[in-house]
C-alpha cells in the first residue's frame, strides 16, 4: 500500500466502467452529452435546428448502467423519457482538437440511452435553472457493450432505433446528425480538455416519449451494437 493510497480518509470509490465486446472493461472518467443534435428532435423540443451550435451537459460517471441490468424507476419524476443515442468512448484526450483529427481520439462506440426526468428538465428550462437533476440522476445512462473503433466501419451512417415492449418508438440514421461525431469532439474539446475514459452521448433523434415500470427498452445502432434495460 503506497503512502498516497493510504492517505484517503474514506474508502476510494469504485471506478465506473463499461464492458467491451469480446472482453475487458473501459473505465469511465466523465460523461458528456450533446443536446438537440438531430433536426427533427430539436423541432419536437421547440428549438431551431438551423441556428443553434452544439451545447453540452453532463452526467456523473457512475450513472452508467451496464450488462442489460434493470433500471430502477427514479425518484422525483412522473415523466421518465427515453433518448436513444450513439455513444463515443475516447481513448485519447486533448484540447482544441481539429475536426479532421478528431476520430483518431475515439477508442470505441456503443449504443446508449440518455434517460431523462423530462418534468424536471422542463421545469428547469422554464426557470432558467440547471438541467443536472433532470439528466444526471442515478442509473440515467444505460449503455451496451463498447465496440473498438478499429473493428467498425464508417460511424457517420447507420440506422439508430429504439423499441419499447417491441413497438418502434425512435428511428433515424446517424447521417442525419446535425453535428457529426468528429465535429462534436472538436467543439467539446474547445470547452474542456478531453481525457481518456470520457464518454460522449451524441444526441437523440425524434420520438422521445415516456416509459413506465415494466417496460422493456431495446435499442440498436447499426454496425455498433445494442442496449437493453427493463424499467423496474
Ligand atoms: Mn440526449
Amino acid at each position: 500500500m503506497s503512502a498516497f493510497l493510504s492517505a484517503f480518509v474514506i474508502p476510494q470509490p469504485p471506478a465506473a466502467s463499461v464492458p467491451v465486446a469480446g472482453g475487458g472493461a473501459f473505465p469511465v472518467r466523465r460523461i458528456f452529452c450533446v443536446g438537440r443534435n438531430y433536426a427533427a428532435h430539436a423541432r419536437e423540443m421547440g428549438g431551431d435546428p438551423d441556428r443553434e451550435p452544439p451545447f453540452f451537459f453532463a452526467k456523473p460517471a457512475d450513472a452508467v448502467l451496464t450488462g442489460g441490468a434493470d433500471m430502477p424507476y427514479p425518484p422525483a419524476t412522473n415523466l421518465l423519457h427515453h433518448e436513444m443515442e450513439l455513444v463515443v468512448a475516447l481513448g485519447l484526450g486533448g484540447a482544441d482538437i481539429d475536426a479532421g483529427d478528431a476520430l483518431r481520439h475515439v477508442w470505441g462506440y456503443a449504443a446508449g440511452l440518455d434517460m431523462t426526468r423530462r418534468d424536471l428538465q422542463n421545469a428547469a428550462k422554464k426557470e432558467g435553472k440547471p438541467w443536472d437533476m433532470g439528466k444526471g440522476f442515478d442509473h440515467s445512462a444505460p449503455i451496451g457493450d463498447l465496440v473498438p473503433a478499429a473493428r467498425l466501419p464508417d460511424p457517420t451512417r447507420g440506422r439508430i432505433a429504439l423499441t419499447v415492449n417491441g413497438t418502434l418508438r425512435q428511428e433515424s440514421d446517424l447521417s442525419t446528425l446535425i453535428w457529426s461525431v468528429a465535429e462534436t469532439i472538436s467543439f467539446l474539446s474547445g470547452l474542456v480538455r478531453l481525457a481518456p475514459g470520457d464518454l460522449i452521448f451524441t444526441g437523440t433523434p425524434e420520438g422521445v416519449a415516456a416509459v413506465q415500470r415494466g417496460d422493456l427498452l431495446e435499442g440498436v445502432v447499426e454496425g455498433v451494437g445494442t442496449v437493453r434495460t427493463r424499467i423496474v
Side-chain angles (χ1 to χ4, degrees), residues 157-172:
R157 61 189 64 248
R159 179 175 179 263
I160 178 170
L162 177 76
T163 65
V164 177
N165 303 324
T167 300
L168 188 64
R169 286 270 190 95
Q170 293 190 264
E171 185 175 37
S172 189

PDB file of all heavy atoms in Angstrom, residues 157-172:
ATOM      1  N   ARG A 157     -22.765   6.893 -40.628  1.00  0.00           N
ATOM      2  CA  ARG A 157     -24.064   6.478 -41.165  1.00  0.00           C
ATOM      3  C   ARG A 157     -24.461   5.163 -40.525  1.00  0.00           C
ATOM      4  O   ARG A 157     -23.628   4.443 -39.995  1.00  0.00           O
ATOM      5  CB  ARG A 157     -24.015   6.356 -42.681  1.00  0.00           C
ATOM      6  CG  ARG A 157     -23.016   5.319 -43.200  1.00  0.00           C
ATOM      7  CD  ARG A 157     -22.860   5.418 -44.692  1.00  0.00           C
ATOM      8  NE  ARG A 157     -22.284   6.700 -45.062  1.00  0.00           N
ATOM      9  CZ  ARG A 157     -22.924   7.652 -45.724  1.00  0.00           C
ATOM     10  NH1 ARG A 157     -24.160   7.462 -46.122  1.00  0.00           N
ATOM     11  NH2 ARG A 157     -22.323   8.785 -46.000  1.00  0.00           N
ATOM     12  N   GLY A 158     -25.772   4.886 -40.569  1.00  0.00           N
ATOM     13  CA  GLY A 158     -26.276   3.647 -39.989  1.00  0.00           C
ATOM     14  C   GLY A 158     -27.559   3.921 -39.231  1.00  0.00           C
ATOM     15  O   GLY A 158     -27.759   5.002 -38.662  1.00  0.00           O
ATOM     16  N   ARG A 159     -28.425   2.916 -39.179  1.00  0.00           N
ATOM     17  CA  ARG A 159     -29.727   3.068 -38.537  1.00  0.00           C
ATOM     18  C   ARG A 159     -29.554   3.137 -37.023  1.00  0.00           C
ATOM     19  O   ARG A 159     -28.759   2.403 -36.432  1.00  0.00           O
ATOM     20  CB  ARG A 159     -30.607   1.865 -38.917  1.00  0.00           C
ATOM     21  CG  ARG A 159     -32.000   1.855 -38.313  1.00  0.00           C
ATOM     22  CD  ARG A 159     -32.785   0.653 -38.887  1.00  0.00           C
ATOM     23  NE  ARG A 159     -34.126   0.565 -38.322  1.00  0.00           N
ATOM     24  CZ  ARG A 159     -34.445  -0.228 -37.292  1.00  0.00           C
ATOM     25  NH1 ARG A 159     -33.549  -0.992 -36.736  1.00  0.00           N
ATOM     26  NH2 ARG A 159     -35.700  -0.249 -36.839  1.00  0.00           N
ATOM     27  N   ILE A 160     -30.313   4.037 -36.393  1.00  0.00           N
ATOM     28  CA  ILE A 160     -30.377   4.107 -34.934  1.00  0.00           C
ATOM     29  C   ILE A 160     -31.850   4.013 -34.571  1.00  0.00           C
ATOM     30  O   ILE A 160     -32.684   4.728 -35.143  1.00  0.00           O
ATOM     31  CB  ILE A 160     -29.695   5.384 -34.386  1.00  0.00           C
ATOM     32  CG1 ILE A 160     -29.821   5.445 -32.852  1.00  0.00           C
ATOM     33  CG2 ILE A 160     -30.195   6.653 -35.055  1.00  0.00           C
ATOM     34  CD1 ILE A 160     -28.970   6.552 -32.212  1.00  0.00           C
ATOM     35  N   ALA A 161     -32.189   3.089 -33.665  1.00  0.00           N
ATOM     36  CA  ALA A 161     -33.609   2.839 -33.398  1.00  0.00           C
ATOM     37  C   ALA A 161     -33.812   2.317 -31.989  1.00  0.00           C
ATOM     38  O   ALA A 161     -32.900   1.744 -31.375  1.00  0.00           O
ATOM     39  CB  ALA A 161     -34.167   1.838 -34.406  1.00  0.00           C
ATOM     40  N   LEU A 162     -35.024   2.531 -31.480  1.00  0.00           N
ATOM     41  CA  LEU A 162     -35.394   2.036 -30.144  1.00  0.00           C
ATOM     42  C   LEU A 162     -36.804   1.467 -30.188  1.00  0.00           C
ATOM     43  O   LEU A 162     -37.723   2.098 -30.727  1.00  0.00           O
ATOM     44  CB  LEU A 162     -35.342   3.177 -29.120  1.00  0.00           C
ATOM     45  CG  LEU A 162     -35.785   2.763 -27.704  1.00  0.00           C
ATOM     46  CD1 LEU A 162     -34.687   1.962 -27.011  1.00  0.00           C
ATOM     47  CD2 LEU A 162     -36.165   3.978 -26.864  1.00  0.00           C
ATOM     48  N   THR A 163     -36.967   0.292 -29.605  1.00  0.00           N
ATOM     49  CA  THR A 163     -38.311  -0.237 -29.386  1.00  0.00           C
ATOM     50  C   THR A 163     -38.589  -0.272 -27.891  1.00  0.00           C
ATOM     51  O   THR A 163     -37.678  -0.419 -27.076  1.00  0.00           O
ATOM     52  CB  THR A 163     -38.484  -1.664 -29.954  1.00  0.00           C
ATOM     53  OG1 THR A 163     -37.628  -2.557 -29.232  1.00  0.00           O
ATOM     54  CG2 THR A 163     -38.156  -1.718 -31.435  1.00  0.00           C
ATOM     55  N   VAL A 164     -39.866  -0.100 -27.534  1.00  0.00           N
ATOM     56  CA  VAL A 164     -40.322  -0.268 -26.154  1.00  0.00           C
ATOM     57  C   VAL A 164     -41.387  -1.352 -26.178  1.00  0.00           C
ATOM     58  O   VAL A 164     -42.392  -1.223 -26.891  1.00  0.00           O
ATOM     59  CB  VAL A 164     -40.874   1.055 -25.576  1.00  0.00           C
ATOM     60  CG1 VAL A 164     -41.400   0.831 -24.155  1.00  0.00           C
ATOM     61  CG2 VAL A 164     -39.785   2.130 -25.571  1.00  0.00           C
ATOM     62  N   ASN A 165     -41.147  -2.435 -25.470  1.00  0.00           N
ATOM     63  CA  ASN A 165     -42.025  -3.611 -25.484  1.00  0.00           C
ATOM     64  C   ASN A 165     -42.284  -4.086 -26.908  1.00  0.00           C
ATOM     65  O   ASN A 165     -43.391  -4.509 -27.248  1.00  0.00           O
ATOM     66  CB  ASN A 165     -43.353  -3.306 -24.766  1.00  0.00           C
ATOM     67  CG  ASN A 165     -43.124  -2.834 -23.336  1.00  0.00           C
ATOM     68  OD1 ASN A 165     -42.217  -3.305 -22.665  1.00  0.00           O
ATOM     69  ND2 ASN A 165     -43.933  -1.887 -22.884  1.00  0.00           N
ATOM     70  N   GLY A 166     -41.259  -3.986 -27.750  1.00  0.00           N
ATOM     71  CA  GLY A 166     -41.358  -4.482 -29.114  1.00  0.00           C
ATOM     72  C   GLY A 166     -41.942  -3.497 -30.115  1.00  0.00           C
ATOM     73  O   GLY A 166     -41.947  -3.767 -31.319  1.00  0.00           O
ATOM     74  N   THR A 167     -42.445  -2.354 -29.640  1.00  0.00           N
ATOM     75  CA  THR A 167     -43.025  -1.345 -30.533  1.00  0.00           C
ATOM     76  C   THR A 167     -41.992  -0.271 -30.856  1.00  0.00           C
ATOM     77  O   THR A 167     -41.369   0.284 -29.942  1.00  0.00           O
ATOM     78  CB  THR A 167     -44.250  -0.679 -29.862  1.00  0.00           C
ATOM     79  OG1 THR A 167     -45.222  -1.688 -29.588  1.00  0.00           O
ATOM     80  CG2 THR A 167     -44.859   0.375 -30.780  1.00  0.00           C
ATOM     81  N   LEU A 168     -41.836   0.031 -32.158  1.00  0.00           N
ATOM     82  CA  LEU A 168     -40.844   1.020 -32.574  1.00  0.00           C
ATOM     83  C   LEU A 168     -41.216   2.410 -32.065  1.00  0.00           C
ATOM     84  O   LEU A 168     -42.323   2.894 -32.301  1.00  0.00           O
ATOM     85  CB  LEU A 168     -40.752   1.031 -34.105  1.00  0.00           C
ATOM     86  CG  LEU A 168     -39.623   1.868 -34.702  1.00  0.00           C
ATOM     87  CD1 LEU A 168     -38.258   1.309 -34.307  1.00  0.00           C
ATOM     88  CD2 LEU A 168     -39.762   1.919 -36.225  1.00  0.00           C
ATOM     89  N   ARG A 169     -40.273   3.062 -31.351  1.00  0.00           N
ATOM     90  CA  ARG A 169     -40.516   4.406 -30.810  1.00  0.00           C
ATOM     91  C   ARG A 169     -39.614   5.457 -31.462  1.00  0.00           C
ATOM     92  O   ARG A 169     -40.029   6.591 -31.665  1.00  0.00           O
ATOM     93  CB  ARG A 169     -40.245   4.424 -29.301  1.00  0.00           C
ATOM     94  CG  ARG A 169     -41.287   3.746 -28.447  1.00  0.00           C
ATOM     95  CD  ARG A 169     -42.378   4.714 -28.029  1.00  0.00           C
ATOM     96  NE  ARG A 169     -43.258   4.148 -27.017  1.00  0.00           N
ATOM     97  CZ  ARG A 169     -43.107   4.347 -25.701  1.00  0.00           C
ATOM     98  NH1 ARG A 169     -42.098   5.080 -25.247  1.00  0.00           N
ATOM     99  NH2 ARG A 169     -43.941   3.805 -24.845  1.00  0.00           N
ATOM    100  N   GLN A 170     -38.376   5.098 -31.718  1.00  0.00           N
ATOM    101  CA  GLN A 170     -37.439   6.041 -32.331  1.00  0.00           C
ATOM    102  C   GLN A 170     -36.733   5.339 -33.482  1.00  0.00           C
ATOM    103  O   GLN A 170     -36.335   4.183 -33.348  1.00  0.00           O
ATOM    104  CB  GLN A 170     -36.390   6.519 -31.309  1.00  0.00           C
ATOM    105  CG  GLN A 170     -36.955   7.371 -30.184  1.00  0.00           C
ATOM    106  CD  GLN A 170     -35.859   8.020 -29.349  1.00  0.00           C
ATOM    107  OE1 GLN A 170     -35.471   7.498 -28.315  1.00  0.00           O
ATOM    108  NE2 GLN A 170     -35.342   9.154 -29.813  1.00  0.00           N
ATOM    109  N   GLU A 171     -36.560   6.070 -34.598  1.00  0.00           N
ATOM    110  CA  GLU A 171     -35.838   5.503 -35.735  1.00  0.00           C
ATOM    111  C   GLU A 171     -35.277   6.633 -36.584  1.00  0.00           C
ATOM    112  O   GLU A 171     -36.006   7.545 -36.971  1.00  0.00           O
ATOM    113  CB  GLU A 171     -36.750   4.627 -36.591  1.00  0.00           C
ATOM    114  CG  GLU A 171     -36.008   3.931 -37.717  1.00  0.00           C
ATOM    115  CD  GLU A 171     -36.889   2.970 -38.489  1.00  0.00           C
ATOM    116  OE1 GLU A 171     -38.084   3.288 -38.683  1.00  0.00           O
ATOM    117  OE2 GLU A 171     -36.403   1.907 -38.904  1.00  0.00           O
ATOM    118  N   SER A 172     -33.991   6.576 -36.834  1.00  0.00           N
ATOM    119  CA  SER A 172     -33.354   7.587 -37.670  1.00  0.00           C
ATOM    120  C   SER A 172     -32.072   6.997 -38.246  1.00  0.00           C
ATOM    121  O   SER A 172     -31.887   5.773 -38.232  1.00  0.00           O
ATOM    122  CB  SER A 172     -33.060   8.843 -36.842  1.00  0.00           C
ATOM    123  OG  SER A 172     -32.630   9.908 -37.680  1.00  0.00           O
TER     124      SER A 172
END
